Amino acid sequence: MAKPVEKTRALRKGAWSPEEDRKLTAYIKRYGIWNWAEMAKPAGLQRSGKSCRLRWVNYLRPGIKHGNFTKEEEQTIIDLHEKLGNRWSAIASRLPGRTDNEIKNHWHAHLRKRFKYDLNALPESEPSEPSSDETNQNSSSRSNPTDNIPRPSILESYSAISTDSLPSSSSNPLVEIEEKPNIKGSIGSLDNFKA
DNA sequence: AAGATAGTCAACCGCACACGC
DNA sequence: TGCGTGTGCGGTTGACTATCT
């Protein structure tokens, strides 16, 4: 069902501007994450909750590493992909600072080709679903009853993040931000994240 | 130098799950 | 117990950049 708060507003799409980044970061730094769908408005953003969450998780969140993957990281991805398949979030949880989206992109852009090439170069290599993405075993992983790997909560990871790395909001956009609506439930798990 | 093609990455979409009521 | 809502995940798309012809 459509969310009323998003239905009544024209939502921006596409690339985020530095100003939007600044607003979202400043808002989360001050109030924490309490409801993605509702946060955007008081934060001064014409974005969907999903968009805000994605931007935060994949780009703005403190501790995110950008740039080239190290050899060790690549090897870890390859090893874990061999074991887990396209469970990018599970793989990401074992690579601190890397996001599932970044790993997924890196896999498709770099590692998959190399991995396939390596397999072709190894005539006796194990048949461990090397073309997993092509055989489309994707969605099964989400409901796989044999999966004993817990789905990591993104909120849990926040607790390990220091706010020191958050940019300081010197020109405080929050002056314009209206009072935060009722905060419910999930804010509690962000206590450690909040300064 | 200009157009075509390939590669990369940020972001969106749709689905499934978790949880509260 | 069923329903509604929010969140998380993986697949896919589209824009931008680099390289090739």
Side-chain angles (χ1 to χ4, degrees), chain A residues 13-14 16 50-51 54-55 101 105 109 142 151:
Chain A
K13 287 185 179 181
W16 280 63
K50 278 188 162 189
S51 183
L54 198 70
R55 182 65 175 170
N101 206 36
N105 283 333
R142 284 158 73 185
R151 293 171 61 172

PDB file of all heavy atoms in Angstrom, chain A residues 13-14 16 50-51 54-55 101 105 109 142 151, chain B residues 7-17:
ATOM      1  N   LYS A  13      13.881  12.131  -7.834  1.00  0.00           N
ATOM      2  CA  LYS A  13      14.591  10.888  -8.149  1.00  0.00           C
ATOM      3  C   LYS A  13      15.939  11.246  -8.731  1.00  0.00           C
ATOM      4  O   LYS A  13      16.220  12.395  -9.030  1.00  0.00           O
ATOM      5  CB  LYS A  13      13.787  10.049  -9.146  1.00  0.00           C
ATOM      6  CG  LYS A  13      12.554   9.389  -8.578  1.00  0.00           C
ATOM      7  CD  LYS A  13      11.929   8.493  -9.616  1.00  0.00           C
ATOM      8  CE  LYS A  13      10.705   7.788  -9.063  1.00  0.00           C
ATOM      9  NZ  LYS A  13      10.105   6.892 -10.071  1.00  0.00           N
ATOM     10  N   GLY A  14      16.727  10.242  -8.920  1.00  0.00           N
ATOM     11  CA  GLY A  14      18.024  10.454  -9.544  1.00  0.00           C
ATOM     12  C   GLY A  14      19.112  10.784  -8.549  1.00  0.00           C
ATOM     13  O   GLY A  14      18.975  10.537  -7.349  1.00  0.00           O
ATOM     14  N   TRP A  16      21.779  12.279  -6.034  1.00  0.00           N
ATOM     15  CA  TRP A  16      21.647  13.142  -4.871  1.00  0.00           C
ATOM     16  C   TRP A  16      22.591  14.333  -5.009  1.00  0.00           C
ATOM     17  O   TRP A  16      23.750  14.184  -5.415  1.00  0.00           O
ATOM     18  CB  TRP A  16      21.979  12.369  -3.604  1.00  0.00           C
ATOM     19  CG  TRP A  16      20.861  11.504  -3.122  1.00  0.00           C
ATOM     20  CD1 TRP A  16      20.304  10.446  -3.781  1.00  0.00           C
ATOM     21  CD2 TRP A  16      20.143  11.647  -1.900  1.00  0.00           C
ATOM     22  NE1 TRP A  16      19.294   9.903  -3.029  1.00  0.00           N
ATOM     23  CE2 TRP A  16      19.178  10.611  -1.874  1.00  0.00           C
ATOM     24  CE3 TRP A  16      20.228  12.527  -0.825  1.00  0.00           C
ATOM     25  CZ2 TRP A  16      18.298  10.450  -0.800  1.00  0.00           C
ATOM     26  CZ3 TRP A  16      19.359  12.365   0.244  1.00  0.00           C
ATOM     27  CH2 TRP A  16      18.399  11.342   0.237  1.00  0.00           C
ATOM     28  N   LYS A  50      12.826   4.989   0.991  1.00  0.00           N
ATOM     29  CA  LYS A  50      13.755   4.013   0.433  1.00  0.00           C
ATOM     30  C   LYS A  50      14.994   4.696  -0.130  1.00  0.00           C
ATOM     31  O   LYS A  50      16.114   4.204   0.027  1.00  0.00           O
ATOM     32  CB  LYS A  50      13.070   3.223  -0.690  1.00  0.00           C
ATOM     33  CG  LYS A  50      12.222   2.096  -0.223  1.00  0.00           C
ATOM     34  CD  LYS A  50      11.769   1.286  -1.427  1.00  0.00           C
ATOM     35  CE  LYS A  50      11.281  -0.082  -1.007  1.00  0.00           C
ATOM     36  NZ  LYS A  50      11.051  -0.951  -2.176  1.00  0.00           N
ATOM     37  N   SER A  51      14.759   5.775  -0.811  1.00  0.00           N
ATOM     38  CA  SER A  51      15.878   6.488  -1.410  1.00  0.00           C
ATOM     39  C   SER A  51      16.816   7.022  -0.334  1.00  0.00           C
ATOM     40  O   SER A  51      18.051   6.936  -0.468  1.00  0.00           O
ATOM     41  CB  SER A  51      15.360   7.635  -2.287  1.00  0.00           C
ATOM     42  OG  SER A  51      16.431   8.299  -2.921  1.00  0.00           O
ATOM     43  N   LEU A  54      18.763   4.110   1.190  1.00  0.00           N
ATOM     44  CA  LEU A  54      19.787   3.612   0.282  1.00  0.00           C
ATOM     45  C   LEU A  54      20.978   4.557   0.238  1.00  0.00           C
ATOM     46  O   LEU A  54      22.139   4.130   0.263  1.00  0.00           O
ATOM     47  CB  LEU A  54      19.200   3.457  -1.118  1.00  0.00           C
ATOM     48  CG  LEU A  54      19.985   2.577  -2.067  1.00  0.00           C
ATOM     49  CD1 LEU A  54      19.882   1.132  -1.641  1.00  0.00           C
ATOM     50  CD2 LEU A  54      19.487   2.732  -3.493  1.00  0.00           C
ATOM     51  N   ARG A  55      20.685   5.830   0.176  1.00  0.00           N
ATOM     52  CA  ARG A  55      21.762   6.807   0.114  1.00  0.00           C
ATOM     53  C   ARG A  55      22.607   6.749   1.382  1.00  0.00           C
ATOM     54  O   ARG A  55      23.838   6.823   1.344  1.00  0.00           O
ATOM     55  CB  ARG A  55      21.176   8.201  -0.081  1.00  0.00           C
ATOM     56  CG  ARG A  55      22.223   9.291  -0.209  1.00  0.00           C
ATOM     57  CD  ARG A  55      23.059   9.111  -1.465  1.00  0.00           C
ATOM     58  NE  ARG A  55      23.998  10.201  -1.666  1.00  0.00           N
ATOM     59  CZ  ARG A  55      24.963  10.191  -2.581  1.00  0.00           C
ATOM     60  NH1 ARG A  55      25.092   9.169  -3.399  1.00  0.00           N
ATOM     61  NH2 ARG A  55      25.796  11.201  -2.693  1.00  0.00           N
ATOM     62  N   ASN A 101      25.704  -3.177  -2.069  1.00  0.00           N
ATOM     63  CA  ASN A 101      25.593  -2.623  -3.416  1.00  0.00           C
ATOM     64  C   ASN A 101      26.963  -2.498  -4.071  1.00  0.00           C
ATOM     65  O   ASN A 101      27.143  -2.828  -5.255  1.00  0.00           O
ATOM     66  CB  ASN A 101      24.930  -1.251  -3.348  1.00  0.00           C
ATOM     67  CG  ASN A 101      24.223  -0.884  -4.640  1.00  0.00           C
ATOM     68  OD1 ASN A 101      23.650  -1.742  -5.309  1.00  0.00           O
ATOM     69  ND2 ASN A 101      24.269   0.383  -4.990  1.00  0.00           N
ATOM     70  N   ASN A 105      28.145  -4.542  -7.341  1.00  0.00           N
ATOM     71  CA  ASN A 105      28.656  -3.862  -8.527  1.00  0.00           C
ATOM     72  C   ASN A 105      30.060  -4.340  -8.875  1.00  0.00           C
ATOM     73  O   ASN A 105      30.380  -4.560 -10.046  1.00  0.00           O
ATOM     74  CB  ASN A 105      28.674  -2.346  -8.306  1.00  0.00           C
ATOM     75  CG  ASN A 105      27.299  -1.724  -8.433  1.00  0.00           C
ATOM     76  OD1 ASN A 105      26.432  -2.247  -9.125  1.00  0.00           O
ATOM     77  ND2 ASN A 105      27.086  -0.611  -7.752  1.00  0.00           N
ATOM     78  N   ALA A 109      31.217  -6.120 -12.248  1.00  0.00           N
ATOM     79  CA  ALA A 109      32.128  -5.336 -13.090  1.00  0.00           C
ATOM     80  C   ALA A 109      33.483  -6.002 -13.240  1.00  0.00           C
ATOM     81  O   ALA A 109      34.104  -5.924 -14.303  1.00  0.00           O
ATOM     82  CB  ALA A 109      32.293  -3.937 -12.499  1.00  0.00           C
ATOM     83  N   ARG A 142      16.741 -15.953  -0.460  1.00  0.00           N
ATOM     84  CA  ARG A 142      16.067 -15.144   0.541  1.00  0.00           C
ATOM     85  C   ARG A 142      15.099 -15.964   1.352  1.00  0.00           C
ATOM     86  O   ARG A 142      14.743 -15.598   2.457  1.00  0.00           O
ATOM     87  CB  ARG A 142      15.352 -13.988  -0.129  1.00  0.00           C
ATOM     88  CG  ARG A 142      16.331 -12.938  -0.539  1.00  0.00           C
ATOM     89  CD  ARG A 142      15.796 -12.088  -1.619  1.00  0.00           C
ATOM     90  NE  ARG A 142      14.765 -11.157  -1.144  1.00  0.00           N
ATOM     91  CZ  ARG A 142      14.104 -10.386  -1.983  1.00  0.00           C
ATOM     92  NH1 ARG A 142      14.315 -10.434  -3.250  1.00  0.00           N
ATOM     93  NH2 ARG A 142      13.236  -9.569  -1.520  1.00  0.00           N
ATOM     94  N   ARG A 151      20.228 -12.748   8.917  1.00  0.00           N
ATOM     95  CA  ARG A 151      20.237 -11.525   8.140  1.00  0.00           C
ATOM     96  C   ARG A 151      20.666 -10.394   9.050  1.00  0.00           C
ATOM     97  O   ARG A 151      20.002 -10.104  10.028  1.00  0.00           O
ATOM     98  CB  ARG A 151      18.842 -11.256   7.575  1.00  0.00           C
ATOM     99  CG  ARG A 151      18.452 -12.281   6.548  1.00  0.00           C
ATOM    100  CD  ARG A 151      17.017 -12.123   6.173  1.00  0.00           C
ATOM    101  NE  ARG A 151      16.748 -10.812   5.583  1.00  0.00           N
ATOM    102  CZ  ARG A 151      15.588 -10.510   5.035  1.00  0.00           C
ATOM    103  NH1 ARG A 151      14.645 -11.367   4.974  1.00  0.00           N
ATOM    104  NH2 ARG A 151      15.409  -9.318   4.529  1.00  0.00           N
TER     105      ARG A 151
ATOM    106  P    DG B   7      33.420  -4.565 -21.706  1.00  0.00           P
ATOM    107  OP1  DG B   7      34.553  -5.505 -21.553  1.00  0.00           O
ATOM    108  OP2  DG B   7      32.031  -5.087 -21.704  1.00  0.00           O
ATOM    109  O5'  DG B   7      33.530  -3.465 -20.568  1.00  0.00           O
ATOM    110  C5'  DG B   7      34.663  -2.596 -20.563  1.00  0.00           C
ATOM    111  C4'  DG B   7      34.615  -1.655 -19.371  1.00  0.00           C
ATOM    112  O4'  DG B   7      33.652  -0.605 -19.620  1.00  0.00           O
ATOM    113  C3'  DG B   7      34.190  -2.311 -18.057  1.00  0.00           C
ATOM    114  O3'  DG B   7      35.052  -1.853 -17.029  1.00  0.00           O
ATOM    115  C2'  DG B   7      32.754  -1.844 -17.844  1.00  0.00           C
ATOM    116  C1'  DG B   7      32.752  -0.495 -18.536  1.00  0.00           C
ATOM    117  N9   DG B   7      31.473  -0.051 -19.080  1.00  0.00           N
ATOM    118  C8   DG B   7      30.634  -0.772 -19.905  1.00  0.00           C
ATOM    119  N7   DG B   7      29.564  -0.104 -20.258  1.00  0.00           N
ATOM    120  C5   DG B   7      29.704   1.129 -19.636  1.00  0.00           C
ATOM    121  C6   DG B   7      28.857   2.264 -19.641  1.00  0.00           C
ATOM    122  O6   DG B   7      27.776   2.418 -20.224  1.00  0.00           O
ATOM    123  N1   DG B   7      29.378   3.302 -18.870  1.00  0.00           N
ATOM    124  C2   DG B   7      30.561   3.245 -18.183  1.00  0.00           C
ATOM    125  N2   DG B   7      30.896   4.331 -17.482  1.00  0.00           N
ATOM    126  N3   DG B   7      31.361   2.185 -18.154  1.00  0.00           N
ATOM    127  C4   DG B   7      30.873   1.175 -18.902  1.00  0.00           C
ATOM    128  P    DT B   8      34.944  -2.452 -15.576  1.00  0.00           P
ATOM    129  OP1  DT B   8      36.309  -2.523 -15.024  1.00  0.00           O
ATOM    130  OP2  DT B   8      34.087  -3.652 -15.585  1.00  0.00           O
ATOM    131  O5'  DT B   8      34.166  -1.296 -14.806  1.00  0.00           O
ATOM    132  C5'  DT B   8      34.677   0.034 -14.871  1.00  0.00           C
ATOM    133  C4'  DT B   8      33.750   0.988 -14.153  1.00  0.00           C
ATOM    134  O4'  DT B   8      32.579   1.221 -14.946  1.00  0.00           O
ATOM    135  C3'  DT B   8      33.259   0.496 -12.781  1.00  0.00           C
ATOM    136  O3'  DT B   8      33.673   1.436 -11.804  1.00  0.00           O
ATOM    137  C2'  DT B   8      31.736   0.430 -12.923  1.00  0.00           C
ATOM    138  C1'  DT B   8      31.466   1.360 -14.097  1.00  0.00           C
ATOM    139  N1   DT B   8      30.266   1.054 -14.925  1.00  0.00           N
ATOM    140  C2   DT B   8      29.336   2.041 -15.130  1.00  0.00           C
ATOM    141  O2   DT B   8      29.431   3.163 -14.652  1.00  0.00           O
ATOM    142  N3   DT B   8      28.278   1.673 -15.923  1.00  0.00           N
ATOM    143  C4   DT B   8      28.068   0.444 -16.524  1.00  0.00           C
ATOM    144  O4   DT B   8      27.070   0.232 -17.212  1.00  0.00           O
ATOM    145  C5   DT B   8      29.083  -0.543 -16.277  1.00  0.00           C
ATOM    146  C7   DT B   8      28.960  -1.901 -16.864  1.00  0.00           C
ATOM    147  C6   DT B   8      30.127  -0.196 -15.497  1.00  0.00           C
ATOM    148  P    DC B   9      33.539   1.128 -10.295  1.00  0.00           P
ATOM    149  OP1  DC B   9      34.658   1.766  -9.583  1.00  0.00           O
ATOM    150  OP2  DC B   9      33.263  -0.319 -10.115  1.00  0.00           O
ATOM    151  O5'  DC B   9      32.210   1.928  -9.921  1.00  0.00           O
ATOM    152  C5'  DC B   9      32.127   3.299 -10.298  1.00  0.00           C
ATOM    153  C4'  DC B   9      30.718   3.808 -10.081  1.00  0.00           C
ATOM    154  O4'  DC B   9      29.845   3.285 -11.101  1.00  0.00           O
ATOM    155  C3'  DC B   9      30.086   3.418  -8.731  1.00  0.00           C
ATOM    156  O3'  DC B   9      29.499   4.579  -8.173  1.00  0.00           O
ATOM    157  C2'  DC B   9      29.031   2.387  -9.115  1.00  0.00           C
ATOM    158  C1'  DC B   9      28.631   2.870 -10.500  1.00  0.00           C
ATOM    159  N1   DC B   9      28.018   1.841 -11.380  1.00  0.00           N
ATOM    160  C2   DC B   9      26.930   2.195 -12.192  1.00  0.00           C
ATOM    161  O2   DC B   9      26.510   3.356 -12.156  1.00  0.00           O
ATOM    162  N3   DC B   9      26.379   1.271 -12.993  1.00  0.00           N
ATOM    163  C4   DC B   9      26.865   0.033 -13.017  1.00  0.00           C
ATOM    164  N4   DC B   9      26.280  -0.857 -13.832  1.00  0.00           N
ATOM    165  C5   DC B   9      27.983  -0.353 -12.209  1.00  0.00           C
ATOM    166  C6   DC B   9      28.525   0.588 -11.406  1.00  0.00           C
ATOM    167  P    DA B  10      29.256   4.670  -6.632  1.00  0.00           P
ATOM    168  OP1  DA B  10      30.296   5.511  -6.044  1.00  0.00           O
ATOM    169  OP2  DA B  10      29.002   3.316  -6.097  1.00  0.00           O
ATOM    170  O5'  DA B  10      27.886   5.482  -6.617  1.00  0.00           O
ATOM    171  C5'  DA B  10      27.756   6.619  -7.462  1.00  0.00           C
ATOM    172  C4'  DA B  10      26.298   6.834  -7.817  1.00  0.00           C
ATOM    173  O4'  DA B  10      25.855   5.781  -8.703  1.00  0.00           O
ATOM    174  C3'  DA B  10      25.350   6.828  -6.621  1.00  0.00           C
ATOM    175  O3'  DA B  10      24.427   7.897  -6.765  1.00  0.00           O
ATOM    176  C2'  DA B  10      24.667   5.464  -6.703  1.00  0.00           C
ATOM    177  C1'  DA B  10      24.683   5.173  -8.199  1.00  0.00           C
ATOM    178  N9   DA B  10      24.759   3.758  -8.565  1.00  0.00           N
ATOM    179  C8   DA B  10      25.605   2.815  -8.050  1.00  0.00           C
ATOM    180  N7   DA B  10      25.455   1.627  -8.588  1.00  0.00           N
ATOM    181  C5   DA B  10      24.444   1.797  -9.510  1.00  0.00           C
ATOM    182  C6   DA B  10      23.819   0.919 -10.412  1.00  0.00           C
ATOM    183  N6   DA B  10      24.143  -0.372 -10.527  1.00  0.00           N
ATOM    184  N1   DA B  10      22.841   1.408 -11.202  1.00  0.00           N
ATOM    185  C2   DA B  10      22.529   2.700 -11.094  1.00  0.00           C
ATOM    186  N3   DA B  10      23.042   3.636 -10.278  1.00  0.00           N
ATOM    187  C4   DA B  10      24.015   3.110  -9.517  1.00  0.00           C
ATOM    188  P    DA B  11      23.416   8.214  -5.627  1.00  0.00           P
ATOM    189  OP1  DA B  11      23.196   9.666  -5.642  1.00  0.00           O
ATOM    190  OP2  DA B  11      23.848   7.532  -4.379  1.00  0.00           O
ATOM    191  O5'  DA B  11      22.093   7.503  -6.143  1.00  0.00           O
ATOM    192  C5'  DA B  11      21.599   7.865  -7.424  1.00  0.00           C
ATOM    193  C4'  DA B  11      20.486   6.929  -7.829  1.00  0.00           C
ATOM    194  O4'  DA B  11      21.031   5.623  -8.096  1.00  0.00           O
ATOM    195  C3'  DA B  11      19.389   6.728  -6.773  1.00  0.00           C
ATOM    196  O3'  DA B  11      18.168   7.223  -7.292  1.00  0.00           O
ATOM    197  C2'  DA B  11      19.358   5.210  -6.536  1.00  0.00           C
ATOM    198  C1'  DA B  11      20.064   4.655  -7.768  1.00  0.00           C
ATOM    199  N9   DA B  11      20.767   3.382  -7.562  1.00  0.00           N
ATOM    200  C8   DA B  11      21.739   3.107  -6.638  1.00  0.00           C
ATOM    201  N7   DA B  11      22.186   1.876  -6.693  1.00  0.00           N
ATOM    202  C5   DA B  11      21.458   1.305  -7.728  1.00  0.00           C
ATOM    203  C6   DA B  11      21.458   0.012  -8.290  1.00  0.00           C
ATOM    204  N6   DA B  11      22.246  -0.983  -7.864  1.00  0.00           N
ATOM    205  N1   DA B  11      20.602  -0.222  -9.320  1.00  0.00           N
ATOM    206  C2   DA B  11      19.819   0.770  -9.736  1.00  0.00           C
ATOM    207  N3   DA B  11      19.725   2.025  -9.294  1.00  0.00           N
ATOM    208  C4   DA B  11      20.581   2.228  -8.278  1.00  0.00           C
ATOM    209  P    DC B  12      16.830   7.090  -6.514  1.00  0.00           P
ATOM    210  OP1  DC B  12      16.090   8.343  -6.755  1.00  0.00           O
ATOM    211  OP2  DC B  12      17.094   6.633  -5.141  1.00  0.00           O
ATOM    212  O5'  DC B  12      16.086   5.917  -7.305  1.00  0.00           O
ATOM    213  C5'  DC B  12      16.004   5.987  -8.727  1.00  0.00           C
ATOM    214  C4'  DC B  12      15.265   4.787  -9.270  1.00  0.00           C
ATOM    215  O4'  DC B  12      16.100   3.606  -9.172  1.00  0.00           O
ATOM    216  C3'  DC B  12      13.963   4.455  -8.536  1.00  0.00           C
ATOM    217  O3'  DC B  12      12.945   4.184  -9.486  1.00  0.00           O
ATOM    218  C2'  DC B  12      14.322   3.248  -7.680  1.00  0.00           C
ATOM    219  C1'  DC B  12      15.416   2.575  -8.495  1.00  0.00           C
ATOM    220  N1   DC B  12      16.423   1.834  -7.692  1.00  0.00           N
ATOM    221  C2   DC B  12      16.690   0.487  -7.994  1.00  0.00           C
ATOM    222  O2   DC B  12      16.089  -0.056  -8.915  1.00  0.00           O
ATOM    223  N3   DC B  12      17.613  -0.175  -7.250  1.00  0.00           N
ATOM    224  C4   DC B  12      18.253   0.460  -6.271  1.00  0.00           C
ATOM    225  N4   DC B  12      19.153  -0.220  -5.577  1.00  0.00           N
ATOM    226  C5   DC B  12      17.994   1.817  -5.955  1.00  0.00           C
ATOM    227  C6   DC B  12      17.076   2.474  -6.684  1.00  0.00           C
ATOM    228  P    DC B  13      11.470   3.886  -9.048  1.00  0.00           P
ATOM    229  OP1  DC B  13      10.572   4.453 -10.069  1.00  0.00           O
ATOM    230  OP2  DC B  13      11.318   4.275  -7.631  1.00  0.00           O
ATOM    231  O5'  DC B  13      11.409   2.301  -9.125  1.00  0.00           O
ATOM    232  C5'  DC B  13      11.849   1.659 -10.316  1.00  0.00           C
ATOM    233  C4'  DC B  13      11.565   0.169 -10.226  1.00  0.00           C
ATOM    234  O4'  DC B  13      12.634  -0.488  -9.488  1.00  0.00           O
ATOM    235  C3'  DC B  13      10.256  -0.170  -9.525  1.00  0.00           C
ATOM    236  O3'  DC B  13       9.545  -1.128 -10.280  1.00  0.00           O
ATOM    237  C2'  DC B  13      10.690  -0.717  -8.163  1.00  0.00           C
ATOM    238  C1'  DC B  13      12.094  -1.253  -8.438  1.00  0.00           C
ATOM    239  N1   DC B  13      13.038  -1.137  -7.298  1.00  0.00           N
ATOM    240  C2   DC B  13      13.810  -2.247  -6.914  1.00  0.00           C
ATOM    241  O2   DC B  13      13.672  -3.311  -7.511  1.00  0.00           O
ATOM    242  N3   DC B  13      14.677  -2.114  -5.883  1.00  0.00           N
ATOM    243  C4   DC B  13      14.798  -0.939  -5.259  1.00  0.00           C
ATOM    244  N4   DC B  13      15.672  -0.865  -4.255  1.00  0.00           N
ATOM    245  C5   DC B  13      14.032   0.189  -5.633  1.00  0.00           C
ATOM    246  C6   DC B  13      13.171   0.063  -6.650  1.00  0.00           C
ATOM    247  P    DG B  14       8.008  -1.419  -9.934  1.00  0.00           P
ATOM    248  OP1  DG B  14       7.275  -1.541 -11.210  1.00  0.00           O
ATOM    249  OP2  DG B  14       7.546  -0.485  -8.892  1.00  0.00           O
ATOM    250  O5'  DG B  14       8.104  -2.874  -9.273  1.00  0.00           O
ATOM    251  C5'  DG B  14       8.846  -3.869  -9.955  1.00  0.00           C
ATOM    252  C4'  DG B  14       9.077  -5.050  -9.042  1.00  0.00           C
ATOM    253  O4'  DG B  14      10.103  -4.733  -8.074  1.00  0.00           O
ATOM    254  C3'  DG B  14       7.839  -5.470  -8.235  1.00  0.00           C
ATOM    255  O3'  DG B  14       7.729  -6.882  -8.302  1.00  0.00           O
ATOM    256  C2'  DG B  14       8.141  -4.969  -6.821  1.00  0.00           C
ATOM    257  C1'  DG B  14       9.658  -5.062  -6.784  1.00  0.00           C
ATOM    258  N9   DG B  14      10.324  -4.158  -5.843  1.00  0.00           N
ATOM    259  C8   DG B  14      10.008  -2.840  -5.592  1.00  0.00           C
ATOM    260  N7   DG B  14      10.785  -2.291  -4.704  1.00  0.00           N
ATOM    261  C5   DG B  14      11.664  -3.293  -4.349  1.00  0.00           C
ATOM    262  C6   DG B  14      12.735  -3.287  -3.422  1.00  0.00           C
ATOM    263  O6   DG B  14      13.129  -2.349  -2.698  1.00  0.00           O
ATOM    264  N1   DG B  14      13.371  -4.516  -3.370  1.00  0.00           N
ATOM    265  C2   DG B  14      13.025  -5.620  -4.102  1.00  0.00           C
ATOM    266  N2   DG B  14      13.761  -6.720  -3.919  1.00  0.00           N
ATOM    267  N3   DG B  14      12.033  -5.640  -4.981  1.00  0.00           N
ATOM    268  C4   DG B  14      11.393  -4.452  -5.039  1.00  0.00           C
ATOM    269  P    DC B  15       6.453  -7.624  -7.732  1.00  0.00           P
ATOM    270  OP1  DC B  15       5.952  -8.481  -8.816  1.00  0.00           O
ATOM    271  OP2  DC B  15       5.566  -6.672  -7.030  1.00  0.00           O
ATOM    272  O5'  DC B  15       7.124  -8.561  -6.625  1.00  0.00           O
ATOM    273  C5'  DC B  15       8.316  -9.271  -6.960  1.00  0.00           C
ATOM    274  C4'  DC B  15       9.003  -9.721  -5.693  1.00  0.00           C
ATOM    275  O4'  DC B  15       9.605  -8.583  -5.040  1.00  0.00           O
ATOM    276  C3'  DC B  15       8.060 -10.369  -4.677  1.00  0.00           C
ATOM    277  O3'  DC B  15       8.543 -11.672  -4.375  1.00  0.00           O
ATOM    278  C2'  DC B  15       8.102  -9.437  -3.470  1.00  0.00           C
ATOM    279  C1'  DC B  15       9.413  -8.682  -3.649  1.00  0.00           C
ATOM    280  N1   DC B  15       9.435  -7.316  -3.104  1.00  0.00           N
ATOM    281  C2   DC B  15      10.425  -6.959  -2.173  1.00  0.00           C
ATOM    282  O2   DC B  15      11.247  -7.804  -1.831  1.00  0.00           O
ATOM    283  N3   DC B  15      10.439  -5.694  -1.683  1.00  0.00           N
ATOM    284  C4   DC B  15       9.529  -4.814  -2.090  1.00  0.00           C
ATOM    285  N4   DC B  15       9.586  -3.586  -1.581  1.00  0.00           N
ATOM    286  C5   DC B  15       8.523  -5.155  -3.035  1.00  0.00           C
ATOM    287  C6   DC B  15       8.511  -6.413  -3.519  1.00  0.00           C
ATOM    288  P    DA B  16       7.628 -12.653  -3.541  1.00  0.00           P
ATOM    289  OP1  DA B  16       7.790 -13.984  -4.157  1.00  0.00           O
ATOM    290  OP2  DA B  16       6.292 -12.072  -3.339  1.00  0.00           O
ATOM    291  O5'  DA B  16       8.384 -12.652  -2.138  1.00  0.00           O
ATOM    292  C5'  DA B  16       9.786 -12.846  -2.119  1.00  0.00           C
ATOM    293  C4'  DA B  16      10.321 -12.648  -0.719  1.00  0.00           C
ATOM    294  O4'  DA B  16      10.363 -11.238  -0.419  1.00  0.00           O
ATOM    295  C3'  DA B  16       9.474 -13.307   0.373  1.00  0.00           C
ATOM    296  O3'  DA B  16      10.332 -13.971   1.276  1.00  0.00           O
ATOM    297  C2'  DA B  16       8.736 -12.132   1.013  1.00  0.00           C
ATOM    298  C1'  DA B  16       9.709 -10.987   0.800  1.00  0.00           C
ATOM    299  N9   DA B  16       9.095  -9.658   0.698  1.00  0.00           N
ATOM    300  C8   DA B  16       8.001  -9.304  -0.031  1.00  0.00           C
ATOM    301  N7   DA B  16       7.686  -8.034   0.060  1.00  0.00           N
ATOM    302  C5   DA B  16       8.655  -7.525   0.908  1.00  0.00           C
ATOM    303  C6   DA B  16       8.891  -6.228   1.402  1.00  0.00           C
ATOM    304  N6   DA B  16       8.122  -5.178   1.096  1.00  0.00           N
ATOM    305  N1   DA B  16       9.936  -6.046   2.228  1.00  0.00           N
ATOM    306  C2   DA B  16      10.701  -7.098   2.536  1.00  0.00           C
ATOM    307  N3   DA B  16      10.588  -8.370   2.132  1.00  0.00           N
ATOM    308  C4   DA B  16       9.534  -8.511   1.305  1.00  0.00           C
ATOM    309  P    DC B  17       9.712 -14.821   2.469  1.00  0.00           P
ATOM    310  OP1  DC B  17      10.452 -16.102   2.482  1.00  0.00           O
ATOM    311  OP2  DC B  17       8.238 -14.805   2.423  1.00  0.00           O
ATOM    312  O5'  DC B  17      10.196 -13.975   3.725  1.00  0.00           O
ATOM    313  C5'  DC B  17      11.543 -13.516   3.770  1.00  0.00           C
ATOM    314  C4'  DC B  17      11.711 -12.502   4.888  1.00  0.00           C
ATOM    315  O4'  DC B  17      11.084 -11.251   4.512  1.00  0.00           O
ATOM    316  C3'  DC B  17      11.092 -12.929   6.213  1.00  0.00           C
ATOM    317  O3'  DC B  17      12.038 -12.723   7.245  1.00  0.00           O
ATOM    318  C2'  DC B  17       9.869 -12.033   6.359  1.00  0.00           C
ATOM    319  C1'  DC B  17      10.285 -10.793   5.579  1.00  0.00           C
ATOM    320  N1   DC B  17       9.173 -10.003   4.999  1.00  0.00           N
ATOM    321  C2   DC B  17       9.082  -8.633   5.272  1.00  0.00           C
ATOM    322  O2   DC B  17       9.929  -8.112   6.007  1.00  0.00           O
ATOM    323  N3   DC B  17       8.064  -7.913   4.725  1.00  0.00           N
ATOM    324  C4   DC B  17       7.178  -8.518   3.939  1.00  0.00           C
ATOM    325  N4   DC B  17       6.207  -7.774   3.413  1.00  0.00           N
ATOM    326  C5   DC B  17       7.253  -9.911   3.636  1.00  0.00           C
ATOM    327  C6   DC B  17       8.258 -10.609   4.192  1.00  0.00           C
TER     328       DC B  17
END
